[in-house]
Structure formats: structure tokens, C-alpha cells
Amino acid sequence: MQSSPIPPADTASASTSPTPAASGLNVESDVNLKPYNSFGLPAVARRLVRLRSEADARRVVDHPELGRAPKFVLGGGSNLVLTRDVEPVVLKVEIPGLRVLEERADCWILEAGAGVVWHELVAWSLAQGVPGLENLALIPGTVGAAPVQNIGAYGLELKDRFDSLDAIDFTTGRRVTLDATACRFGYRDSVFKQSGFGGLAGKGVITAVRLRCPKPWQPQLGYLDLQRKMAETGLTAPDARQVFDWVCEIRRAKLPDPARIGNAGSFFKNPVVSAEQCRDIIARDPHIVHYPMPDGSFKLAAGWLIDACGWKGKSVGDAAVYDKQALVLVNRGAARGAEVVTLARAIQESVYGRFGIRLEPEPVVV
Ligand code: EPU
């Protein structure tokens, strides 16, 4: 369980090597980050180090200068809005590795390096005959970034399949292994986004993630779009591959492909309100899309709120509201981070003005 696809670090050479070259690290200067963020926003990293193993992460910490420097961890850059050049040292996580770590009577445990593309892990797991991740198909980004915002889609969140992860602590250079409780998962939230008491934001870099896929497999088909697919096809007992195909179809129909149109997925979180607030809002607008939560609160569809305020297709410069899903902001070509932020603020103000709800951005704004 504690093992990693990455061999143990050779820390001795790192701690005695004063220069980046001697430490085995290649520090690149003035790197264009446009290809490394899914929004395609222009920005430059003053210094960038590619982490290809856990040992590389330890080498950074042990390095006499990089060890002390402020750091910025970059995964797939799919949840990021860059508004300026990045002064902290960018650690670009490119750690590979995919394996079925263990097969137990009640589950499979999979392990993936943090630099693996999330969707590749999902596709690979199905090819190994391990179902359970199919609802999370096509989510952009890397495995290492998945726990940070507890990615989720179509009725499933990462936390529902999470076993544990390894990270390198920026202070000690040691590996720490965290279970789900330690990760404090919430809706698009985790301890890695929290900087308050006990929060781990900016404290380390995730190097490997282990997932638990339960046996027997049970499909998660509660989400309305999946119910529609079942009704359309007449397939009431789909296998995991079928669910994977449906999720890919649904996403492709609704969400822009970042390879063609820059975006960072949902730009705002769906707001959660009390039953009383929800009643109040329904009284103002009976059509509002809302979902009851297990704790008695209600989740509102932010996309619907934005759409109702007439934002679909509107733009600031080259930053625009996607015309098929108002929750997604897109780059029409040459958008700058500042334009994305201006557009996002205008949307927040307009939704607040009409519904009294403050939308919270999902991506990290730098
Ligand atoms: N809606 C509108 N107009 C719009 C967009 C949405 O009326 O322009 C309505 C839809 O008709 C639907 C409701 O809002 O009734 C919800 O829309 P959708 O099913 O597209 O899901 P979402 O709530 O907008 C969330 C996640 C997505 C995830 C989908 C599917 C968040 C912030 N977003 O979107 O996650 O793929 O559900 O589970 O929770 C992401 O986080 O980047 C992301 C794409």
C-alpha cells in the first residue's frame, strides 16, 4: 500500500550539489506557459523545473537555493487562470506510472504517478478490466491535481474512489502518505486548497495517488443525463465501458475540448444554499434548477443562474461565455487572463444582483 511507482530518492547527491545541473535538476528559464494551461492564456515562468520522479521533488527541496524559493505546482494547468507571469519556481509534475497495486476480495487498488493524464488513467483502468472510474472520463488535468479539487462528474467524486496519496513535504523533503480523512475532501475542495488551520495549500507536491475501485462494480446512473441515455438506448443494465462511452458523448456535446477552445471547465462552483434560501429563490424564479443534498441543503445550478442572466455568448475581449454551457468561460483566441477575470466579475455581479447569490470561482487565479 505504501509503495510507489517511483524508486526511492538518491538524496545524498542532491544535498551536496549546490548547482542545479549537479543536483540532476534542469532549471529552465523564461518558459512560455501558454501550452501548459488549458485556457491558453499567455504568461511566462521565470524558472521551471520538470519533476519526472519523486526523487526529483526531493532534490528540489534539498537544493540550497530552490529549496527555499517560493514554489508553484503545475499539473495539467486545466484549473488555472494566469493573469501574469509566475515568479515562484514552477514545478511541472510529469511523474509517470500506472499499475494495479492489489486485487482484494472487495476491491482493486490502482496506483498512478501524479503526472499521468487523468483520462488516460480512466481508459487504462477499463482496459485492465477494472471498472469504477468511468463516470470521471474525459475530465481534463493530471492525476496529481485530481485530489486537490476533488474532481467530480455525473454523480461521482474522486473521494468516492480515493484510497491514499503520497506527497513530498516542501519543508522536510520527506514522503507523507495521506488517507481520505487527512485530505478533508469537500465539494471541489480539499486540504490542499486550504491555507487556514491545518491546511496544506502550498506545503508540498503530490507524487502518486491510489484509487480504490469496489467489487462488485455497481454503475452510478443517477445523473439525469445518464438516465436520458438509458431511456434513449433502452439499455437499462450498461457495463462500465458503455457508461464510459456515454459520459464521453455527454461531455463532448456540452463542454468545449480544451485542445480546440481554451477553457478551464466549470468556472464557478455550484452554490449550496439552505432550504429557506432555496424557497426564497424559487419564489422569485420557479424554474430555477436545484438539487436536494443529503444534509437538507440545496445545490443550485450555477450554469442556469448565469444563463438566466443572459450571459451565453457574451464576451470581454476574447474571453467569452460558452454558448452551450454558461458555466464555462472560453478563450476565443487571444484572451488575456485579465479579460477572463473582468468577465467573471461581471457575471458574479449580475447573478448577485438578480438572485442574491455570490458565485465562487473554481479555478485558481494567479
Ligand atoms: N444549465 C442551464 N444553462 C446552462 C448550463 C446549465 O440551464 O448554460 C442547467 C442544465 O440544464 C442542468 C443544470 O444547469 O439542468 C446543470 O448543468 P450540467 O448538468 O451541465 O452540470 P453543471 O452543474 O453545470 C457540474 C460540474 C461539472 C460536471 C457536471 C456533470 C460543477 C461546478 N460542475 O456542472 O464539472 O462535469 O456537473 O456532473 O460542479 C468542472 O468541474 O470543471 C466540471 C465540468
Side-chain angles (χ1 to χ4, degrees):
M1 275 265 301
Q2 305 288 316
S3 61
S4 154
I6 299 124
D10 173 13
T11 47
S13 64
S15 56
T16 53
S17 311
T19 65
S23 69
L25 294 168
N26 182 22
V27 184
E28 297 166 48
S29 304
D30 295 329
V31 178
N32 177 13
L33 292 176
K34 198 167 173 166
Y36 297 151
N37 73 99
S38 65
F39 235 124
L41 298 170
V44 168
R46 296 271 166 255
R47 291 186 295 173
L48 182 143
V49 178
R50 291 170 203 274
L51 305 184
R52 297 207 166 90
S53 65
E54 187 189 59
D56 281 349
R58 290 181 204 260
R59 286 187 187 105
V60 168
V61 180
D62 286 345
H63 189 276
E65 204 238 316
L66 298 177
R68 285 194 305 270
K71 298 170 188 65
F72 180 81
V73 176
L74 179 64
S78 60
N79 203 39
L80 185 61
V81 180
L82 290 168
T83 62
R84 54 189 149 101
D85 293 343
V86 184
E87 296 303 331
V89 179
V90 173
L91 303 181
K92 187 163 183 305
V93 182
E94 297 182 353
I95 302 173
L98 276 173
R99 62 174 168 158
V100 179
L101 194 61
E102 218 183 317
E103 183 172 357
R104 302 182 195 158
D106 62 343
C107 68
W108 291 270
I109 305 285
L110 308 179
E111 184 175 67
V116 171
V117 170
W118 173 264
H119 181 71
E120 282 173 15
L121 161 65
V122 177
W124 170 86
S125 63
L126 289 174
Q128 304 305 302
V130 178
L133 301 178
E134 56 284 344
N135 291 47
L136 304 178
L138 272 190
I139 295 184
T142 53
V143 166
V148 176
Q149 59 153 345
N150 183 25
I151 58 169
Y154 306 103
L156 196 74
E157 288 183 334
L158 177 96
K159 73 172 172 53
D160 303 319
R161 296 287 179 265
F162 183 81
D163 179 70
S164 58
L165 61 76
D166 295 334
I168 292 294
D169 183 322
F170 283 155
T171 311
T172 63
R174 296 230 170 99
R175 179 197 295 168
V176 287
T177 296
L178 302 183
D179 64 11
T181 309
C183 290
R184 295 197 207 154
F185 290 122
Y187 167 56
R188 296 292 190 278
D189 193 29
S190 77
V191 74
F192 307 105
K193 284 178 103 176
Q194 299 159 8
S195 41
F197 179 73
L200 294 179
K203 300 263 171 73
V205 55
I206 295 168
T207 53
V209 177
R210 284 170 292 276
L211 299 151
R212 178 192 298 258
C213 294
K215 287 184 193 174
W217 173 73
Q218 285 181 335
Q220 304 292 318
L221 299 166
Y223 204 88
L224 189 63
D225 286 337
L226 289 170
Q227 295 280 318
R228 280 201 197 113
K229 286 284 182 196
M230 284 200 291
E232 276 165 30
T233 58
L235 290 170
T236 50
D239 61 10
R241 169 61 61 178
Q242 181 63 70
V243 178
F244 173 90
D245 289 343
W246 281 344
V247 168
C248 291
E249 280 168 31
I250 295 164
R251 287 190 76 99
R252 287 192 175 116
K254 259 192 199 183
L255 299 167
D257 175 358
R260 283 189 285 165
I261 307 172
N263 75 91
S266 300
F267 199 90
F268 299 100
K269 294 184 189 181
N270 283 328
V272 177
V273 298
S274 68
E276 196 188 340
Q277 281 172 299
C278 195
R279 270 196 301 275
D280 212 48
I281 297 165
I282 292 169
R284 282 195 246 174
D285 203 321
H287 304 294
I288 196 158
V289 178
H290 58 288
Y291 315 94
M293 303 295 285
D295 65 357
S297 62
F298 284 83
K299 197 180 257 187
L300 306 179
W304 187 91
L305 298 171
I306 299 167
D307 200 0
C309 291
W311 280 100
K312 255 186 196 162
K314 297 259 171 75
S315 57
V316 170
D318 258 359
V321 180
Y322 192 50
D323 47 15
K324 292 190 204 140
Q325 225 294 13
L327 193 50
V328 179
L329 304 190
V330 295
N331 181 352
R332 283 188 180 159
R336 305 191 68 83
E339 291 168 342
V340 175
V341 170
T342 303
L343 177 61
R345 288 209 181 115
I347 292 169
Q348 281 172 311
E349 275 168 34
S350 126
V351 168
Y352 185 72
R354 172 148 173 205
F355 297 104
I357 289 169
R358 290 191 194 283
L359 292 181
E360 201 187 318
E362 206 196 282
V364 175
V365 179
V366 172

